[in-house]
Amino acid sequence: MPYHTFKCSECIPERTKHAVVKGETETLADVLPEGYLNTIPGTISERGCAYCGAKHVIGTPMKDVIHLSHGPVGCTYDTWQTKRYISDNDNFQLKYTFATDMKEKHVIFGAEKLLKDSILEAFKAFPNIKRMTIYQTCASALIGDDANAIAQEVMDENPDVDIFVCNSPGFAGPSQSGGHHKINIAWINQKVGQVEPQITSDYVINYIGEYNIQGDQEVMADYFKRMGIQVLSTFTGNGSYDDLRAMHRANLNVLECARSAEYIANELRKRYNIPRMDIDGFGFKPMAESLRKIGLFFGIEDRANAIIEEEYARWKPEFDWYARRLKGVKVALWPGGSKLWHWAHVIHAEMGMEVVSVYTKFGHQGDMEKGISRCESGALAIDDPNELEGIEAMKTLKPDVIFTGVRPGEVAKKLRVQYLNAHAYHNGPYKGFEGWVRFARDIYNAVYSPMHQLSGVDISKDPIAADYGFKTRTMISDKKLDLSVPLPAEEHPYTGGFDSVTKLRSRTYAMVKTPAMAGAPEEV
């Protein structure tokens, strides 16, 4: 697994050990790219800061909360609406963002009065919201503003409100991952155990590390409820502030994104003896195995299997239609942390796509280990790449599509490389059985777009074929199929609706009665 040196970074020798090429017979013991280190000066990293990791990734998906940044307005604006973490309360946390708007005079003379005034003003503007999270930024942390004392003062004066303070300024870690850790530990230290919940099932879980991107959480919660499981809280997508204060009463912590939320899952195990179970909601096989694991834990495997059979029958033929046409497509898998390894193996195993590169901007060594082990030989693995390195990799590897964020994605489009948004999705949700079909559909639409086929033609100098006529995606994609062999009649493109989530919010679930639950209501 030799180190790879980018030509654009030859002037920064420290970057050499941050990229490797996976060899044919090499193991992870041979060499791994260095990772989760302080950013090397001069590399122009695209990482997010620790404040961003705390507020933008984990905190803000909580739906019934005023999220207030104590700092300059730019910090708040940069972490607003760039992820589609929707909620079932009219997306309050997406519609509004709050900041104390610190200025130079506040840095000089202090901003605690400004913070208290902003807290009271926000609660007055939204009298139905009684919960708030305050996020320290670099500016307020450097001058030593005591946000905890101000929050306590407001709570003493207004007993009906509750405030959580997250001290995770931008400099609190080498990347946004540092902020993940800060808010995980702060929440369990400050808030868990303060509320006693109503238990409505024998099977109670915390769903941890799930942020409801375009409805992921609601899809997964639907499966759990159909199994008779009570989702006590979700950390934090579509999650309620007070539900998350009751996390200590669950029977099991079901963990999805280990990179951002394994810290609180581990602390719940240590402090409250709640076991941790890691699952994977992406892909048919991983999704089925995850439901079976949860069913096995509670002794309700039959309910998990019934859901799996129903979902396979409904969605697998549609998925197979896309998988047949995506085989051999080259992909650069450049997401955040956990999707590096959640997706690396399954897009190859179930779609036949070839992973030519993996990278992470804030992942740890464990993420790289799992990601590299699950992708094909010859793949280029990069830690914390900058824009120039990304451009060089695209020109060298020539992927057909990239799964990444908006910023590198827009650069990719300028190089005539299609991209799908791995952070906020294009047309999600992508979790669950139907979600995986939606993901395959979006990949197919991107790779075989007729407009994209023309985007590489420079009309000022390139010859234009005189016989180039009307084309559809199917006309382009089916050229690679062996049409001499009849295709399965049951396979066909996606037939689900534009919105696959809203309908789930009105669904009712039969409560499974056991001796321990005698007298429980029929519907919950």
Side-chain angles (χ1 to χ4, degrees):
M1 206 178 300
Y3 288 119
H4 175 82
T5 301
F6 289 97
K7 291 182 179 179
C8 62
S9 296
E10 288 178 347
C11 59
I12 309 175
E14 297 93 331
R15 283 294 300 162
T16 300
K17 293 186 178 182
H18 287 260
V20 300
V21 178
K22 182 176 181 179
E24 284 284 350
T25 59
E26 292 172 323
T27 69
L28 298 175
D30 295 312
V31 66
L32 276 173
E34 293 185 347
Y36 197 56
L37 301 174
N38 290 332
T39 301
I40 300 168
T43 60
I44 317 179
S45 171
E46 295 181 348
R47 282 171 162 176
C49 67
Y51 156 80
C52 174
K55 177 182 183 289
H56 177 51
V57 177
I58 294 181
T60 308
M62 276 192 281
K63 63 184 179 182
D64 51 358
V65 182
I66 292 171
H67 296 281
L68 175 67
S69 295
H70 184 33
V73 71
C75 298
T76 291
Y77 189 79
D78 186 59
T79 55
W80 182 37
Q81 288 193 339
T82 55
K83 271 196 174 181
R84 301 165 185 169
Y85 30 63
I86 63 174
S87 63
D88 57 12
N89 68 334
D90 201 29
N91 300 317
F92 175 81
Q93 78 290 354
L94 275 178
K95 287 183 176 180
Y96 305 100
T97 191
F98 303 83
T100 55
D101 192 19
M102 284 179 62
K103 305 292 187 183
E104 184 178 352
K105 64 180 180 181
H106 300 116
V107 174
I108 298 171
F109 299 108
E112 290 184 353
K113 181 180 183 302
L114 174 69
L115 174 59
K116 183 175 182 180
D117 290 345
S118 298
I119 294 171
L120 297 175
E121 181 182 353
F123 278 131
K124 183 178 180 180
F126 295 93
N128 294 327
I129 304 295
K130 301 296 184 181
R131 303 293 180 258
M132 176 181 287
T133 293
I134 298 172
Y135 304 90
Q136 288 272 38
T137 63
C138 294
S140 57
L142 283 170
I143 65 174
D145 275 0
D146 192 343
N148 295 78
I150 299 300
Q152 189 59 54
E153 186 177 316
V154 172
M155 287 189 286
D156 291 342
E157 296 171 0
N158 302 270
D160 59 333
V161 305
D162 197 85
I163 302 173
F164 166 63
V165 177
C166 179
N167 288 297
S168 181
F171 55 77
S175 72
Q176 66 189 65
S177 185
H180 302 162
H181 182 266
K182 291 283 187 182
I183 193 170
N184 273 239
I185 301 305
W187 184 264
I188 195 169
N189 284 343
Q190 295 182 38
K191 297 302 175 184
V192 172
Q194 292 186 347
V195 169
E196 289 300 322
Q198 180 182 5
I199 302 300
T200 59
S201 171
D202 284 344
Y203 320 112
V204 185
I205 67 170
N206 292 314
Y207 187 24
I208 297 176
E210 167 52 55
Y211 306 107
N212 204 34
I213 305 299
Q214 289 199 19
D216 275 349
Q217 184 269 350
E218 295 174 78
V219 170
M220 298 294 287
D222 175 65
Y223 297 149
F224 300 147
K225 292 174 184 177
R226 285 158 65 183
M227 292 171 65
I229 296 171
Q230 178 185 357
V231 182
L232 183 62
S233 71
T234 300
F235 188 87
T236 54
N238 201 37
S240 170
Y241 185 101
D242 284 349
D243 288 347
L244 285 161
R245 297 164 78 190
M247 296 179 80
H248 61 297
R249 294 305 184 194
N251 307 128
L252 176 67
N253 292 317
V254 174
L255 177 62
E256 185 84 46
C257 179
R259 176 46 46 236
S260 65
E262 68 175 353
Y263 316 105
I264 195 167
N266 291 342
E267 287 300 315
L268 286 166
R269 179 175 56 192
K270 291 178 184 177
R271 304 185 193 190
Y272 299 101
N273 297 314
I274 306 173
R276 160 184 167 175
M277 179 181 289
D278 291 42
I279 68 165
D280 188 344
F282 298 108
F284 274 75
K285 184 179 178 181
M287 183 72 256
E289 290 176 344
S290 296
L291 292 180
R292 288 194 183 102
K293 282 200 305 184
I294 297 171
L296 181 63
F297 179 87
F298 287 118
I300 51 175
E301 303 98 310
D302 55 330
R303 302 177 197 171
N305 287 327
I307 293 172
I308 293 165
E309 290 175 9
E310 178 184 344
E311 297 293 320
Y312 259 73
R314 173 65 180 88
W315 299 112
K316 193 60 164 61
E318 300 187 9
F319 175 78
D320 288 343
W321 189 92
Y322 293 106
R324 188 179 299 278
R325 291 157 175 82
L326 292 174
K327 185 176 181 180
V329 169
K330 294 195 299 182
V331 57
L333 182 54
W334 292 351
S338 64
K339 288 191 182 77
L340 178 73
W341 43 270
H342 275 306
W343 287 0
H345 63 306
V346 72
I347 59 178
H348 179 68
E350 296 191 353
M351 300 183 192
M353 301 179 70
E354 302 297 328
V355 179
V356 298
S357 178
V358 293
Y359 87 25
T360 177
K361 294 179 181 176
F362 60 84
H364 297 202
Q365 289 295 87
D367 300 301
M368 270 296 185
E369 288 178 1
K370 288 182 278 189
I372 293 174
S373 68
R374 297 179 183 188
C375 65
E376 295 75 62
S377 297
L380 174 62
I382 320 168
D383 167 71
D384 187 25
N386 57 48
E387 183 176 307
L388 294 179
E389 290 174 343
I391 291 172
E392 187 175 320
M394 282 186 277
K395 289 181 176 179
T396 303
L397 300 171
K398 295 180 170 51
D400 299 303
V401 64
I402 292 175
F403 303 156
T404 189
V406 173
R407 282 176 290 186
E410 292 301 319
V411 174
K413 287 197 293 187
K414 294 177 181 179
L415 297 177
R416 307 297 187 262
V417 178
Q418 286 283 50
Y419 98 97
L420 255 64
N421 193 326
H423 304 315
Y425 305 162
H426 268 64
N427 300 287
Y430 288 162
K431 281 184 182 172
F433 299 99
E434 182 182 0
W436 201 237
V437 181
R438 295 173 74 96
F439 186 38
R441 176 205 57 187
D442 283 359
I443 301 170
Y444 174 85
N445 287 344
V447 172
Y448 296 113
S449 163
M451 291 297 291
H452 175 62
Q453 303 292 318
L454 288 171
S455 68
V457 178
D458 185 343
I459 61 173
S460 67
K461 61 180 180 179
D462 294 338
I464 308 297
D467 60 346
Y468 192 94
F470 176 79
K471 289 187 179 181
T472 65
R473 289 184 175 89
T474 306
M475 292 168 65
I476 299 169
S477 67
D478 286 8
K479 285 182 178 180
K480 66 196 302 183
L481 301 181
D482 183 0
L483 299 180
S484 65
V485 180
L487 300 178
E490 67 273 13
E491 293 182 7
H492 55 86
Y494 179 65
T495 58
F498 172 77
D499 178 3
S500 63
V501 175
T502 302
K503 62 185 178 183
L504 301 177
R505 296 173 181 172
S506 59
R507 178 176 284 180
T508 57
Y509 302 88
M511 172 59 68
V512 180
K513 292 183 178 180
T514 67
M517 291 298 296
E522 188 65 27
E523 301 287 336
V524 295

